[in-house]
Amino acid sequence: TGFYRANLNLLVEPVSGADKQRRLEQWLDAKAGQPSIVYVTQQKTAEQVAARLSQRGLPASAYHAGMPHEAREAIQRQFMAGTINCIVATIAFGMGIDKADIRNVLHFDLPKSIENYSQEIGRAGRDGAPSRCLILANRDNLNVLENFVYGDTPELSGIRAVLNDLLAVPDSG
C-alpha cells in the first residue's frame, strides 16, 4: 500500500513541554481501553511516562531496547493479546508488530525522521477502522534529535578513508 491511508486521522498539536504529560493523559483517558502506542525518543522517558500514566489510573507499560529480552517479549505478547492496551516505547517497538486494531499512535516527542514517522503511524488502523495519530509538538527535545542526525552522519575523514580504500582495490575488469 502507499503512504496515504484514509482511515488515519493525522493530528499535530502544539503543546508546551510542561503540558505534554497532562495532554497525553487527557487524550488517552478519552480513549480508555483502545490499543495505543506512545512513542518517545529516550528509554528513560519511556519509563517515566509509563509510570506516570499508570499512577494516574491509565495502565501503561514501557518498552525499549535497554530492557531484558524476556521482558520485551512478554510485554509484546500481552499487547498483542490485548491484556495491555498502552505501550510507551522507543523506536525499538514496532518491528514485527502486526496488531490490526491499534486505534492510537501518539508521538510524545517529535519523531526521529519522516521515515520513522511514516512507519510508526503505519501501525495504526491496519484493520481499516478509523484511527488517530497525534504528535504533541514542541521544541524541547530538538537537541536530542539533532544529536541523532549528527551521530548518523559520517565525518569527512571517514568518507575519505572509504573512498581511498575503494580506489586502492585493483581493477578486475
mmCIF file of all heavy atoms in Angstrom, residues 54-105:
data_model
loop_
_atom_site.group_PDB
_atom_site.id
_atom_site.type_symbol
_atom_site.label_atom_id
_atom_site.label_comp_id
_atom_site.label_asym_id
_atom_site.label_seq_id
_atom_site.Cartn_x
_atom_site.Cartn_y
_atom_site.Cartn_z
ATOM 1 N N SER A 54 0.404 5.117 34.580
ATOM 2 C CA SER A 54 -0.114 4.077 35.472
ATOM 3 C C SER A 54 -0.534 4.660 36.817
ATOM 4 O O SER A 54 -1.568 4.264 37.372
ATOM 5 C CB SER A 54 0.937 2.979 35.664
ATOM 6 O OG SER A 54 1.144 2.293 34.436
ATOM 7 N N GLN A 55 0.248 5.608 37.347
ATOM 8 C CA GLN A 55 -0.107 6.256 38.613
ATOM 9 C C GLN A 55 -1.428 7.000 38.509
ATOM 10 O O GLN A 55 -2.150 7.143 39.487
ATOM 11 C CB GLN A 55 0.993 7.236 39.038
ATOM 12 C CG GLN A 55 2.258 6.576 39.503
ATOM 13 C CD GLN A 55 3.407 7.570 39.638
ATOM 14 O OE1 GLN A 55 3.274 8.745 39.311
ATOM 15 N NE2 GLN A 55 4.552 7.081 40.103
ATOM 16 N N ARG A 56 -1.762 7.479 37.339
ATOM 17 C CA ARG A 56 -2.993 8.257 37.113
ATOM 18 C C ARG A 56 -4.165 7.361 36.687
ATOM 19 O O ARG A 56 -5.190 7.838 36.238
ATOM 20 C CB ARG A 56 -2.776 9.321 36.045
ATOM 21 C CG ARG A 56 -1.624 10.265 36.269
ATOM 22 C CD ARG A 56 -2.001 11.519 37.001
ATOM 23 N NE ARG A 56 -1.032 12.578 37.110
ATOM 24 C CZ ARG A 56 0.207 12.521 37.523
ATOM 25 N NH1 ARG A 56 0.745 11.375 37.806
ATOM 26 N NH2 ARG A 56 0.957 13.594 37.639
ATOM 27 N N GLY A 57 -3.966 6.035 36.820
ATOM 28 C CA GLY A 57 -5.051 5.115 36.507
ATOM 29 C C GLY A 57 -5.176 4.775 35.034
ATOM 30 O O GLY A 57 -6.206 4.256 34.610
ATOM 31 N N LEU A 58 -4.141 5.045 34.254
ATOM 32 C CA LEU A 58 -4.119 4.691 32.832
ATOM 33 C C LEU A 58 -3.006 3.657 32.648
ATOM 34 O O LEU A 58 -1.850 4.014 32.389
ATOM 35 C CB LEU A 58 -3.844 5.931 31.974
ATOM 36 C CG LEU A 58 -4.890 7.042 32.060
ATOM 37 C CD1 LEU A 58 -4.351 8.353 31.494
ATOM 38 C CD2 LEU A 58 -6.148 6.623 31.325
ATOM 39 N N PRO A 59 -3.327 2.364 32.821
ATOM 40 C CA PRO A 59 -2.285 1.330 32.779
ATOM 41 C C PRO A 59 -1.469 1.395 31.489
ATOM 42 O O PRO A 59 -2.012 1.429 30.386
ATOM 43 C CB PRO A 59 -3.068 0.023 32.857
ATOM 44 C CG PRO A 59 -4.377 0.401 33.459
ATOM 45 C CD PRO A 59 -4.656 1.803 33.007
ATOM 46 N N ALA A 60 -0.137 1.434 31.644
ATOM 47 C CA ALA A 60 0.770 1.504 30.509
ATOM 48 C C ALA A 60 2.051 0.758 30.863
ATOM 49 O O ALA A 60 2.450 0.697 32.024
ATOM 50 C CB ALA A 60 1.083 2.956 30.171
ATOM 51 N N SER A 61 2.697 0.213 29.850
ATOM 52 C CA SER A 61 3.979 -0.466 30.028
ATOM 53 C C SER A 61 5.028 0.204 29.159
ATOM 54 O O SER A 61 4.757 0.549 28.015
ATOM 55 C CB SER A 61 3.873 -1.940 29.625
ATOM 56 O OG SER A 61 3.030 -2.630 30.504
ATOM 57 N N ALA A 62 6.217 0.355 29.725
ATOM 58 C CA ALA A 62 7.343 0.878 28.956
ATOM 59 C C ALA A 62 7.921 -0.244 28.110
ATOM 60 O O ALA A 62 7.817 -1.432 28.456
ATOM 61 C CB ALA A 62 8.412 1.436 29.893
ATOM 62 N N TYR A 63 8.527 0.139 26.986
ATOM 63 C CA TYR A 63 9.182 -0.833 26.097
ATOM 64 C C TYR A 63 10.345 -0.118 25.427
ATOM 65 O O TYR A 63 10.157 0.903 24.771
ATOM 66 C CB TYR A 63 8.192 -1.332 25.049
ATOM 67 C CG TYR A 63 8.740 -2.431 24.153
ATOM 68 C CD1 TYR A 63 8.351 -3.748 24.337
ATOM 69 C CD2 TYR A 63 9.631 -2.146 23.124
ATOM 70 C CE1 TYR A 63 8.830 -4.760 23.522
ATOM 71 C CE2 TYR A 63 10.125 -3.148 22.313
ATOM 72 C CZ TYR A 63 9.727 -4.445 22.511
ATOM 73 O OH TYR A 63 10.214 -5.442 21.699
ATOM 74 N N HIS A 64 11.561 -0.660 25.616
ATOM 75 C CA HIS A 64 12.732 -0.078 24.958
ATOM 76 C C HIS A 64 13.843 -1.114 24.892
ATOM 77 O O HIS A 64 13.801 -2.149 25.559
ATOM 78 C CB HIS A 64 13.186 1.203 25.664
ATOM 79 C CG HIS A 64 13.483 1.033 27.121
ATOM 80 N ND1 HIS A 64 14.639 0.456 27.587
ATOM 81 C CD2 HIS A 64 12.762 1.361 28.217
ATOM 82 C CE1 HIS A 64 14.626 0.438 28.904
ATOM 83 N NE2 HIS A 64 13.490 0.979 29.315
ATOM 84 N N ALA A 65 14.843 -0.809 24.087
ATOM 85 C CA ALA A 65 15.935 -1.757 23.833
ATOM 86 C C ALA A 65 16.795 -2.023 25.065
ATOM 87 O O ALA A 65 17.499 -3.029 25.104
ATOM 88 C CB ALA A 65 16.808 -1.242 22.685
ATOM 89 N N GLY A 66 16.731 -1.166 26.074
ATOM 90 C CA GLY A 66 17.526 -1.367 27.285
ATOM 91 C C GLY A 66 16.931 -2.383 28.242
ATOM 92 O O GLY A 66 17.561 -2.734 29.249
ATOM 93 N N MET A 67 15.754 -2.865 27.940
ATOM 94 C CA MET A 67 15.099 -3.854 28.806
ATOM 95 C C MET A 67 15.598 -5.256 28.446
ATOM 96 O O MET A 67 15.984 -5.513 27.311
ATOM 97 C CB MET A 67 13.581 -3.802 28.603
ATOM 98 C CG MET A 67 12.962 -2.461 28.948
ATOM 99 S SD MET A 67 11.228 -2.355 28.464
ATOM 100 C CE MET A 67 10.494 -3.468 29.644
ATOM 101 N N PRO A 68 15.550 -6.178 29.403
ATOM 102 C CA PRO A 68 15.907 -7.563 29.082
ATOM 103 C C PRO A 68 14.991 -8.116 27.982
ATOM 104 O O PRO A 68 13.808 -7.781 27.917
ATOM 105 C CB PRO A 68 15.693 -8.318 30.398
ATOM 106 C CG PRO A 68 15.706 -7.261 31.456
ATOM 107 C CD PRO A 68 15.209 -6.011 30.815
ATOM 108 N N HIS A 69 15.556 -8.949 27.143
ATOM 109 C CA HIS A 69 14.819 -9.520 26.012
ATOM 110 C C HIS A 69 13.527 -10.195 26.459
ATOM 111 O O HIS A 69 12.475 -10.025 25.832
ATOM 112 C CB HIS A 69 15.717 -10.517 25.266
ATOM 113 C CG HIS A 69 15.031 -11.211 24.141
ATOM 114 N ND1 HIS A 69 14.741 -10.580 22.954
ATOM 115 C CD2 HIS A 69 14.558 -12.474 24.023
ATOM 116 C CE1 HIS A 69 14.119 -11.429 22.151
ATOM 117 N NE2 HIS A 69 14.006 -12.587 22.776
ATOM 118 N N GLU A 70 13.591 -10.952 27.555
ATOM 119 C CA GLU A 70 12.408 -11.677 28.026
ATOM 120 C C GLU A 70 11.292 -10.708 28.425
ATOM 121 O O GLU A 70 10.116 -10.976 28.177
ATOM 122 C CB GLU A 70 12.757 -12.573 29.226
ATOM 123 C CG GLU A 70 13.800 -13.629 28.956
ATOM 124 C CD GLU A 70 15.234 -13.081 28.946
ATOM 125 O OE1 GLU A 70 15.519 -12.069 29.631
ATOM 126 O OE2 GLU A 70 16.065 -13.667 28.232
ATOM 127 N N ALA A 71 11.654 -9.598 29.047
ATOM 128 C CA ALA A 71 10.650 -8.600 29.457
ATOM 129 C C ALA A 71 10.002 -7.972 28.226
ATOM 130 O O ALA A 71 8.780 -7.799 28.181
ATOM 131 C CB ALA A 71 11.296 -7.521 30.327
ATOM 132 N N ARG A 72 10.814 -7.641 27.226
ATOM 133 C CA ARG A 72 10.261 -7.061 25.988
ATOM 134 C C ARG A 72 9.311 -8.044 25.312
ATOM 135 O O ARG A 72 8.233 -7.671 24.862
ATOM 136 C CB ARG A 72 11.382 -6.649 25.031
ATOM 137 C CG ARG A 72 12.156 -5.442 25.496
ATOM 138 C CD ARG A 72 13.013 -4.841 24.391
ATOM 139 N NE ARG A 72 13.717 -5.786 23.560
ATOM 140 C CZ ARG A 72 14.953 -6.228 23.767
ATOM 141 N NH1 ARG A 72 15.637 -5.790 24.801
ATOM 142 N NH2 ARG A 72 15.506 -7.078 22.935
ATOM 143 N N GLU A 73 9.725 -9.305 25.242
ATOM 144 C CA GLU A 73 8.885 -10.341 24.622
ATOM 145 C C GLU A 73 7.554 -10.480 25.360
ATOM 146 O O GLU A 73 6.501 -10.602 24.733
ATOM 147 C CB GLU A 73 9.621 -11.690 24.606
ATOM 148 C CG GLU A 73 10.760 -11.765 23.620
ATOM 149 C CD GLU A 73 10.283 -11.858 22.189
ATOM 150 O OE1 GLU A 73 9.287 -12.554 21.930
ATOM 151 O OE2 GLU A 73 10.905 -11.219 21.325
ATOM 152 N N ALA A 74 7.590 -10.480 26.682
ATOM 153 C CA ALA A 74 6.372 -10.629 27.484
ATOM 154 C C ALA A 74 5.429 -9.446 27.257
ATOM 155 O O ALA A 74 4.220 -9.639 27.073
ATOM 156 C CB ALA A 74 6.722 -10.760 28.967
ATOM 157 N N ILE A 75 5.976 -8.224 27.247
ATOM 158 C CA ILE A 75 5.143 -7.039 27.024
ATOM 159 C C ILE A 75 4.527 -7.081 25.632
ATOM 160 O O ILE A 75 3.339 -6.796 25.456
ATOM 161 C CB ILE A 75 5.971 -5.750 27.236
ATOM 162 C CG1 ILE A 75 6.298 -5.601 28.726
ATOM 163 C CG2 ILE A 75 5.246 -4.524 26.700
ATOM 164 C CD1 ILE A 75 7.347 -4.559 29.025
ATOM 165 N N GLN A 76 5.320 -7.456 24.652
ATOM 166 C CA GLN A 76 4.810 -7.542 23.277
ATOM 167 C C GLN A 76 3.683 -8.570 23.176
ATOM 168 O O GLN A 76 2.653 -8.312 22.553
ATOM 169 C CB GLN A 76 5.943 -7.891 22.326
ATOM 170 C CG GLN A 76 5.556 -7.842 20.871
ATOM 171 C CD GLN A 76 6.761 -7.953 19.958
ATOM 172 O OE1 GLN A 76 7.818 -7.414 20.244
ATOM 173 N NE2 GLN A 76 6.592 -8.653 18.865
ATOM 174 N N ARG A 77 3.859 -9.741 23.792
ATOM 175 C CA ARG A 77 2.808 -10.773 23.776
ATOM 176 C C ARG A 77 1.534 -10.270 24.440
ATOM 177 O O ARG A 77 0.427 -10.483 23.939
ATOM 178 C CB ARG A 77 3.294 -12.051 24.482
ATOM 179 C CG ARG A 77 4.106 -12.980 23.627
ATOM 180 C CD ARG A 77 4.283 -14.351 24.274
ATOM 181 N NE ARG A 77 4.773 -14.296 25.642
ATOM 182 C CZ ARG A 77 6.060 -14.235 25.985
ATOM 183 N NH1 ARG A 77 6.986 -14.207 25.082
ATOM 184 N NH2 ARG A 77 6.396 -14.193 27.265
ATOM 185 N N GLN A 78 1.667 -9.585 25.579
ATOM 186 C CA GLN A 78 0.497 -9.068 26.287
ATOM 187 C C GLN A 78 -0.218 -7.995 25.468
ATOM 188 O O GLN A 78 -1.450 -7.944 25.451
ATOM 189 C CB GLN A 78 0.909 -8.507 27.658
ATOM 190 C CG GLN A 78 1.359 -9.591 28.617
ATOM 191 C CD GLN A 78 1.958 -9.013 29.887
ATOM 192 O OE1 GLN A 78 2.390 -7.866 29.928
ATOM 193 N NE2 GLN A 78 1.991 -9.820 30.934
ATOM 194 N N PHE A 79 0.531 -7.160 24.782
ATOM 195 C CA PHE A 79 -0.066 -6.133 23.928
ATOM 196 C C PHE A 79 -0.813 -6.791 22.765
ATOM 197 O O PHE A 79 -1.954 -6.429 22.462
ATOM 198 C CB PHE A 79 1.007 -5.175 23.404
ATOM 199 C CG PHE A 79 0.463 -4.041 22.587
ATOM 200 C CD1 PHE A 79 -0.309 -3.039 23.166
ATOM 201 C CD2 PHE A 79 0.723 -3.957 21.228
ATOM 202 C CE1 PHE A 79 -0.809 -1.986 22.413
ATOM 203 C CE2 PHE A 79 0.236 -2.904 20.459
ATOM 204 C CZ PHE A 79 -0.538 -1.923 21.059
ATOM 205 N N MET A 80 -0.204 -7.773 22.152
ATOM 206 C CA MET A 80 -0.848 -8.473 21.032
ATOM 207 C C MET A 80 -2.125 -9.182 21.483
ATOM 208 O O MET A 80 -3.103 -9.225 20.755
ATOM 209 C CB MET A 80 0.126 -9.471 20.391
ATOM 210 C CG MET A 80 1.332 -8.822 19.729
ATOM 211 S SD MET A 80 0.914 -7.714 18.382
ATOM 212 C CE MET A 80 0.390 -8.881 17.154
ATOM 213 N N ALA A 81 -2.110 -9.716 22.713
ATOM 214 C CA ALA A 81 -3.270 -10.442 23.246
ATOM 215 C C ALA A 81 -4.340 -9.504 23.795
ATOM 216 O O ALA A 81 -5.453 -9.939 24.093
ATOM 217 C CB ALA A 81 -2.817 -11.409 24.340
ATOM 218 N N GLY A 82 -4.010 -8.224 23.963
ATOM 219 C CA GLY A 82 -4.987 -7.274 24.469
ATOM 220 C C GLY A 82 -5.043 -7.160 25.980
ATOM 221 O O GLY A 82 -5.926 -6.500 26.517
ATOM 222 N N THR A 83 -4.093 -7.782 26.697
ATOM 223 C CA THR A 83 -4.088 -7.649 28.153
ATOM 224 C C THR A 83 -3.382 -6.361 28.583
ATOM 225 O O THR A 83 -3.562 -5.911 29.709
ATOM 226 C CB THR A 83 -3.442 -8.871 28.840
ATOM 227 O OG1 THR A 83 -2.130 -9.062 28.311
ATOM 228 C CG2 THR A 83 -4.267 -10.127 28.590
ATOM 229 N N ILE A 84 -2.578 -5.798 27.707
ATOM 230 C CA ILE A 84 -2.002 -4.456 27.883
ATOM 231 C C ILE A 84 -2.507 -3.646 26.695
ATOM 232 O O ILE A 84 -2.413 -4.092 25.545
ATOM 233 C CB ILE A 84 -0.463 -4.474 27.857
ATOM 234 C CG1 ILE A 84 0.108 -5.225 29.050
ATOM 235 C CG2 ILE A 84 0.092 -3.045 27.807
ATOM 236 C CD1 ILE A 84 1.628 -5.356 29.015
ATOM 237 N N ASN A 85 -3.066 -2.475 26.956
ATOM 238 C CA ASN A 85 -3.588 -1.659 25.859
ATOM 239 C C ASN A 85 -2.752 -0.434 25.533
ATOM 240 O O ASN A 85 -2.992 0.210 24.512
ATOM 241 C CB ASN A 85 -5.015 -1.210 26.149
ATOM 242 C CG ASN A 85 -6.005 -2.279 25.780
ATOM 243 O OD1 ASN A 85 -5.859 -2.951 24.770
ATOM 244 N ND2 ASN A 85 -7.015 -2.458 26.611
ATOM 245 N N CYS A 86 -1.785 -0.101 26.387
ATOM 246 C CA CYS A 86 -0.968 1.087 26.116
ATOM 247 C C CYS A 86 0.501 0.762 26.322
ATOM 248 O O CYS A 86 0.905 0.331 27.397
ATOM 249 C CB CYS A 86 -1.390 2.255 27.006
ATOM 250 S SG CYS A 86 -0.489 3.780 26.629
ATOM 251 N N ILE A 87 1.278 0.994 25.281
ATOM 252 C CA ILE A 87 2.726 0.811 25.323
ATOM 253 C C ILE A 87 3.369 2.179 25.140
ATOM 254 O O ILE A 87 3.008 2.923 24.225
ATOM 255 C CB ILE A 87 3.205 -0.119 24.180
ATOM 256 C CG1 ILE A 87 2.563 -1.494 24.275
ATOM 257 C CG2 ILE A 87 4.720 -0.215 24.134
ATOM 258 C CD1 ILE A 87 3.011 -2.323 25.433
ATOM 259 N N VAL A 88 4.319 2.526 26.011
ATOM 260 C CA VAL A 88 5.117 3.744 25.854
ATOM 261 C C VAL A 88 6.495 3.258 25.432
ATOM 262 O O VAL A 88 7.183 2.581 26.194
ATOM 263 C CB VAL A 88 5.195 4.563 27.154
ATOM 264 C CG1 VAL A 88 6.006 5.831 26.936
ATOM 265 C CG2 VAL A 88 3.790 4.897 27.661
ATOM 266 N N ALA A 89 6.869 3.582 24.195
ATOM 267 C CA ALA A 89 8.019 2.910 23.599
ATOM 268 C C ALA A 89 8.938 3.836 22.817
ATOM 269 O O ALA A 89 8.509 4.868 22.303
ATOM 270 C CB ALA A 89 7.509 1.816 22.652
ATOM 271 N N THR A 90 10.176 3.394 22.727
ATOM 272 C CA THR A 90 11.102 3.996 21.781
ATOM 273 C C THR A 90 10.876 3.301 20.440
ATOM 274 O O THR A 90 10.023 2.406 20.333
ATOM 275 C CB THR A 90 12.559 3.785 22.241
ATOM 276 O OG1 THR A 90 12.816 2.378 22.292
ATOM 277 C CG2 THR A 90 12.815 4.423 23.601
ATOM 278 N N ILE A 91 11.671 3.663 19.451
ATOM 279 C CA ILE A 91 11.501 3.042 18.131
ATOM 280 C C ILE A 91 11.799 1.547 18.149
ATOM 281 O O ILE A 91 11.544 0.855 17.171
ATOM 282 C CB ILE A 91 12.343 3.739 17.049
ATOM 283 C CG1 ILE A 91 13.833 3.692 17.388
ATOM 284 C CG2 ILE A 91 11.870 5.167 16.850
ATOM 285 C CD1 ILE A 91 14.731 4.199 16.280
ATOM 286 N N ALA A 92 12.298 1.028 19.283
ATOM 287 C CA ALA A 92 12.550 -0.408 19.393
ATOM 288 C C ALA A 92 11.256 -1.207 19.274
ATOM 289 O O ALA A 92 11.279 -2.391 18.959
ATOM 290 C CB ALA A 92 13.220 -0.723 20.733
ATOM 291 N N PHE A 93 10.126 -0.564 19.537
ATOM 292 C CA PHE A 93 8.838 -1.267 19.486
ATOM 293 C C PHE A 93 8.184 -1.056 18.138
ATOM 294 O O PHE A 93 8.052 0.070 17.674
ATOM 295 C CB PHE A 93 7.893 -0.754 20.575
ATOM 296 C CG PHE A 93 6.608 -1.528 20.672
ATOM 297 C CD1 PHE A 93 6.586 -2.765 21.280
ATOM 298 C CD2 PHE A 93 5.440 -1.023 20.139
ATOM 299 C CE1 PHE A 93 5.403 -3.485 21.376
ATOM 300 C CE2 PHE A 93 4.256 -1.743 20.231
ATOM 301 C CZ PHE A 93 4.245 -2.974 20.847
ATOM 302 N N GLY A 94 7.780 -2.128 17.538
ATOM 303 C CA GLY A 94 7.023 -1.993 16.306
ATOM 304 C C GLY A 94 7.457 -2.939 15.218
ATOM 305 O O GLY A 94 6.638 -3.385 14.436
ATOM 306 N N MET A 95 8.734 -3.246 15.152
ATOM 307 C CA MET A 95 9.183 -4.160 14.115
ATOM 308 C C MET A 95 8.547 -5.524 14.383
ATOM 309 O O MET A 95 8.663 -6.077 15.454
ATOM 310 C CB MET A 95 10.711 -4.279 14.122
ATOM 311 C CG MET A 95 11.419 -2.950 13.884
ATOM 312 S SD MET A 95 10.870 -2.090 12.406
ATOM 313 C CE MET A 95 11.724 -3.011 11.172
ATOM 314 N N GLY A 96 7.818 -6.028 13.417
ATOM 315 C CA GLY A 96 7.164 -7.312 13.576
ATOM 316 C C GLY A 96 5.817 -7.240 14.259
ATOM 317 O O GLY A 96 5.157 -8.260 14.441
ATOM 318 N N ILE A 97 5.385 -6.048 14.658
ATOM 319 C CA ILE A 97 4.074 -5.893 15.288
ATOM 320 C C ILE A 97 3.029 -5.831 14.182
ATOM 321 O O ILE A 97 3.083 -4.975 13.314
ATOM 322 C CB ILE A 97 3.994 -4.600 16.127
ATOM 323 C CG1 ILE A 97 4.972 -4.662 17.299
ATOM 324 C CG2 ILE A 97 2.581 -4.339 16.624
ATOM 325 C CD1 ILE A 97 4.658 -5.726 18.308
ATOM 326 N N ASP A 98 2.108 -6.768 14.198
ATOM 327 C CA ASP A 98 1.044 -6.764 13.203
ATOM 328 C C ASP A 98 -0.294 -6.895 13.926
ATOM 329 O O ASP A 98 -1.031 -7.851 13.733
ATOM 330 C CB ASP A 98 1.249 -7.882 12.181
ATOM 331 C CG ASP A 98 0.351 -7.710 10.965
ATOM 332 O OD1 ASP A 98 -0.164 -6.593 10.761
ATOM 333 O OD2 ASP A 98 0.160 -8.681 10.225
ATOM 334 N N LYS A 99 -0.569 -5.940 14.785
ATOM 335 C CA LYS A 99 -1.829 -5.901 15.529
ATOM 336 C C LYS A 99 -2.768 -4.997 14.738
ATOM 337 O O LYS A 99 -2.511 -3.803 14.578
ATOM 338 C CB LYS A 99 -1.582 -5.362 16.940
ATOM 339 C CG LYS A 99 -2.806 -5.347 17.831
ATOM 340 C CD LYS A 99 -2.391 -4.977 19.248
ATOM 341 C CE LYS A 99 -3.555 -4.796 20.189
ATOM 342 N NZ LYS A 99 -4.384 -5.978 20.379
ATOM 343 N N ALA A 100 -3.836 -5.542 14.250
ATOM 344 C CA ALA A 100 -4.700 -4.827 13.307
ATOM 345 C C ALA A 100 -5.503 -3.702 13.942
ATOM 346 O O ALA A 100 -5.864 -2.749 13.258
ATOM 347 C CB ALA A 100 -5.647 -5.819 12.630
ATOM 348 N N ASP A 101 -5.790 -3.792 15.252
ATOM 349 C CA ASP A 101 -6.748 -2.864 15.858
ATOM 350 C C ASP A 101 -6.121 -1.760 16.695
ATOM 351 O O ASP A 101 -6.754 -1.237 17.616
ATOM 352 C CB ASP A 101 -7.768 -3.638 16.692
ATOM 353 C CG ASP A 101 -7.138 -4.323 17.900
ATOM 354 O OD1 ASP A 101 -5.896 -4.481 17.933
ATOM 355 O OD2 ASP A 101 -7.890 -4.701 18.811
ATOM 356 N N ILE A 102 -4.898 -1.351 16.401
ATOM 357 C CA ILE A 102 -4.293 -0.228 17.124
ATOM 358 C C ILE A 102 -5.043 1.035 16.703
ATOM 359 O O ILE A 102 -5.100 1.371 15.531
ATOM 360 C CB ILE A 102 -2.780 -0.119 16.836
ATOM 361 C CG1 ILE A 102 -2.064 -1.361 17.366
ATOM 362 C CG2 ILE A 102 -2.206 1.159 17.456
ATOM 363 C CD1 ILE A 102 -0.606 -1.465 16.978
ATOM 364 N N ARG A 103 -5.660 1.694 17.672
ATOM 365 C CA ARG A 103 -6.500 2.856 17.379
ATOM 366 C C ARG A 103 -5.760 4.184 17.486
ATOM 367 O O ARG A 103 -6.181 5.172 16.902
ATOM 368 C CB ARG A 103 -7.707 2.907 18.346
ATOM 369 C CG ARG A 103 -8.672 1.751 18.204
ATOM 370 C CD ARG A 103 -9.629 1.901 17.017
ATOM 371 N NE ARG A 103 -9.043 1.670 15.731
ATOM 372 C CZ ARG A 103 -8.980 0.486 15.093
ATOM 373 N NH1 ARG A 103 -9.461 -0.587 15.634
ATOM 374 N NH2 ARG A 103 -8.421 0.398 13.904
ATOM 375 N N ASN A 104 -4.686 4.216 18.278
ATOM 376 C CA ASN A 104 -3.996 5.474 18.529
ATOM 377 C C ASN A 104 -2.486 5.279 18.485
ATOM 378 O O ASN A 104 -1.968 4.361 19.125
ATOM 379 C CB ASN A 104 -4.365 6.029 19.912
ATOM 380 C CG ASN A 104 -5.855 6.170 20.084
ATOM 381 O OD1 ASN A 104 -6.468 7.036 19.485
ATOM 382 N ND2 ASN A 104 -6.453 5.302 20.895
ATOM 383 N N VAL A 105 -1.822 6.149 17.749
ATOM 384 C CA VAL A 105 -0.366 6.245 17.797
ATOM 385 C C VAL A 105 -0.057 7.695 18.135
ATOM 386 O O VAL A 105 -0.431 8.603 17.394
ATOM 387 C CB VAL A 105 0.301 5.830 16.468
ATOM 388 C CG1 VAL A 105 1.792 6.132 16.498
ATOM 389 C CG2 VAL A 105 0.065 4.351 16.180
#
